[in-house]
Amino acid sequence: MSRQRFLTGITPSGTPHLGNYVGAILPAITSSQDSSQDSFFFLADYHALIKCQDPATVRQSSKEIAATWLALGLDTEKALFYRQSDIPEIPELTWILSCNAAKGLMNRAHAYKAAVQANEEAGDDPDFGITMGLFSYPVLMAADILMFNASHIPVGRDQIQHVEMARDIAQRFNHNFVDVFTLPEAVVDDNVAVLQGLDGRKMSKSYNNTIPLFQGEKQLRKSINKIKTNLLEPGEPKDPNDSTVFQLWSAFASDDQIASMRREFENGIAWGEAKKRLFELVNAELAGSRERYQQLMDDPGYVEDVLKKGAQRAREYSVPLMEKVRAGVGIGVLS
Ligand code: TRP
């Protein structure tokens, strides 16, 4: 049996927050420490252009995300860590796959369908504001995955469909041209917590309710103080299962700490006190990596170097694969 190869992309369109940390970054770094499997992680900067037309944000977010993964201890000797746009074979493969992917398949993509539906509900033209980038984004994602013969793709639920499309596209290509692509499978981890944001909904940039991962200590305290609670007074019993403070606590605490906080809630801990303890817990976990993060943010040359080395290694896979693909479809030198 061949080695399992895990691959996942991170779109640089915002600042990493606690939800990204608990739900994606930490599980990915932990799984990359298992030397029986290969890990490929990349900044999906071409994907960022689909949602974000602000160059400064894309640049800043790319730097923040790269620094975040390094600060949290990603071992880039073991895992491949690179930037999508440093791999010219990816957009090249995207075009070739585009010429084979069925338009009907893309019509069914959730993100595209949701955009059309929103237009229809607003009484606009169905294609209003929809770019070709949004429409064909599953093909770019297929190229990201197929380029490296990845077998396992850790993603959130919203991305399962895209991995299935990549599989579909690979199958079709293997059948019609040359059998070069591994058929990928989505991996969804039901054990990782989906964190709640300041307002109690899922923590997400689009809800503007996030707690940034590496803001300064004072800022972190302030953010935690903003978490929405009910009006129960100190001494009144509180329902832990209905509390964002408790949910965040549970994502960072040990089992014993979770059990004892549960009792504190039942005994009527004051919201101010619960938030103070939450701050201390989260801050203790993040303080060390926050300092490394600051150092990396101040040394973009170093981060750039790591990414360039990653790209060099990644291209040892993408260049030969692309040669096979080109030959397979009839592109290349005359003989
Ligand atoms: N589209 C993914 C997201 O929004 C990010 C991504 C891009 C990705 N290319 C990928 C994830 C390839 C897994 C594999 O979350």
Side-chain angles (χ1 to χ4, degrees):
M1 215 187 80
S2 57
R3 277 167 78 80
Q4 298 189 338
R5 181 168 295 166
F6 285 70
L7 175 145
T8 199
I10 316 102
T11 308
S13 55
T15 296
H17 55 70
L18 293 187
N20 302 138
Y21 171 74
V22 169
I25 309 174
L26 210 53
I29 292 180
T30 306
S31 113
S32 75
Q33 287 156 355
D34 174 351
S35 53
S36 72
Q37 66 189 39
D38 295 334
S39 300
F40 286 54
F41 302 124
F42 67 98
L43 293 176
D45 53 350
Y46 285 135
H47 286 265
L49 302 185
I50 298 164
K51 294 185 249 175
C52 178
Q53 271 82 41
D54 176 30
T57 303
V58 177
R59 243 190 305 273
Q60 175 69 11
S61 175
S62 298
K63 188 169 135 181
E64 288 174 355
I65 290 172
T68 297
W69 283 65
L70 298 180
L72 291 170
L74 177 69
D75 180 350
T76 56
E77 298 291 320
K78 272 201 196 135
L80 251 77
F81 188 54
Y82 55 95
R83 174 170 49 202
Q84 185 183 33
S85 61
D86 284 335
I87 317 291
E89 292 74 30
I90 291 176
E92 186 180 353
L93 179 59
T94 302
W95 177 253
I96 293 179
L97 296 179
S98 291
C99 295
N100 294 284
K103 175 173 178 285
L105 184 67
M106 298 301 113
N107 286 342
R108 293 200 288 277
H110 301 315
Y112 168 70
K113 273 172 57 182
V116 170
Q117 198 188 343
N119 281 336
E120 282 168 346
E121 280 164 10
D124 287 324
D125 183 275
D127 282 330
F128 178 75
I130 297 179
T131 63
M132 285 305 295
L134 175 68
F135 182 67
S136 43
Y137 137 83
V139 187
L140 177 59
M141 189 159 154
D144 293 333
I145 295 170
L146 304 180
M147 187 91 257
F148 297 102
N149 289 123
S151 56
H152 291 70
I153 316 298
V155 284
R157 301 210 153 272
D158 61 316
Q159 298 289 321
I160 297 175
Q161 187 195 31
H162 295 141
V163 180
E164 283 167 357
M165 287 177 163
R167 191 181 172 90
D168 208 271
I169 291 169
Q171 241 158 352
R172 195 166 157 132
F173 188 95
N174 285 350
H175 178 75
N176 290 343
F177 298 99
V178 270
D179 192 353
V180 284
F181 295 131
T182 301
L183 303 185
E185 225 175 90
V187 182
V188 178
D189 188 345
D190 288 319
N191 295 319
V192 305
V194 176
L195 286 202
Q196 292 168 13
L198 297 177
D199 58 0
R201 290 185 292 174
K202 175 187 169 187
M203 190 180 291
S204 160
K205 188 175 67 103
S206 37
Y207 293 147
N208 202 12
N209 64 356
T210 66
I211 301 179
L213 177 59
F214 287 138
Q215 53 189 346
E217 200 171 296
K218 265 197 199 137
Q219 258 7 72
L220 178 63
R221 190 191 295 275
K222 264 195 191 159
S223 292
I224 287 176
N225 280 332
K226 278 193 217 147
I227 298 169
K228 202 173 137 196
T229 57
N230 56 30
L231 295 172
L232 292 173
E233 300 284 341
E236 289 186 87
K238 300 176 174 65
D239 180 4
N241 301 326
D242 178 39
S243 161
T244 300
V245 175
F246 187 77
Q247 203 249 356
L248 291 173
W249 175 269
S250 303
F252 286 84
S254 66
D255 288 348
D256 283 351
Q257 288 172 314
I258 296 173
S260 91
M261 186 56 91
R262 190 175 279 284
R263 281 192 302 275
E264 299 274 13
F265 266 65
E266 282 151 11
N267 293 336
I269 188 173
W271 285 122
E273 179 59 24
K275 286 178 173 180
K276 181 168 163 269
R277 294 204 203 159
L278 176 62
F279 162 76
E280 280 157 9
L281 181 73
V282 174
N283 191 50
E285 173 156 337
L286 298 180
S289 34
R290 179 166 56 217
E291 205 177 308
R292 281 196 296 284
Y293 174 79
Q294 277 316 331
Q295 289 162 358
L296 291 163
M297 288 301 280
D298 292 339
D299 191 1
Y302 172 81
V303 179
E304 186 58 37
D305 227 49
V306 172
L307 289 173
K308 281 276 149 53
K309 284 197 187 114
Q312 216 170 18
R313 281 172 62 205
R315 292 194 72 207
E316 286 169 20
Y317 297 87
S318 61
V319 169
L321 187 94
M322 204 56 222
E323 273 166 23
K324 286 190 207 158
V325 170
R326 264 187 230 114
V329 297
I331 299 278
V333 292
L334 302 177
S335 62

